[in-house]
Amino acid sequence: MRLWLAIGVILFGLMTVGAGAVAIYRHAIIADETGISGWNPALWLVLFAGAAVFLLGTVQIADAVGSRPARPE
């Protein structure tokens, strides 16, 4: 069960990174067309938060696999 939850956390992190990247790209296109500044720290925060969630899920998978009881032979 812990492994499936960790996989879910990783998928959520990947979706957040993807959404942040798309938002940064779209904001850059709008900024280029209108001449406004393209710097938006909130979009970078979304991107890095997604990366942090992905890394958290990776640590959870390592913990779930490492603490799994040994199978009797």
Side-chain angles (χ1 to χ4, degrees):
M1 182 69 174
R2 288 174 50 193
L3 188 63
W4 288 109
L5 290 174
I7 290 170
V9 170
I10 285 179
L11 292 176
F12 180 68
L14 287 174
M15 287 189 312
T16 306
V17 167
V22 168
I24 287 174
Y25 177 74
R26 292 178 59 104
H27 182 71
I29 289 175
I30 292 171
D32 188 43
E33 290 176 352
T34 59
I36 62 172
S37 172
W39 175 247
N40 191 344
L43 297 179
W44 285 100
L45 182 64
V46 170
L47 191 70
F48 290 128
V53 170
F54 173 79
L55 291 176
L56 177 69
T58 305
V59 169
Q60 287 177 342
I61 282 186
D63 181 47
V65 170
S67 64
R68 184 179 289 177
R71 293 183 179 201
E73 293 181 19

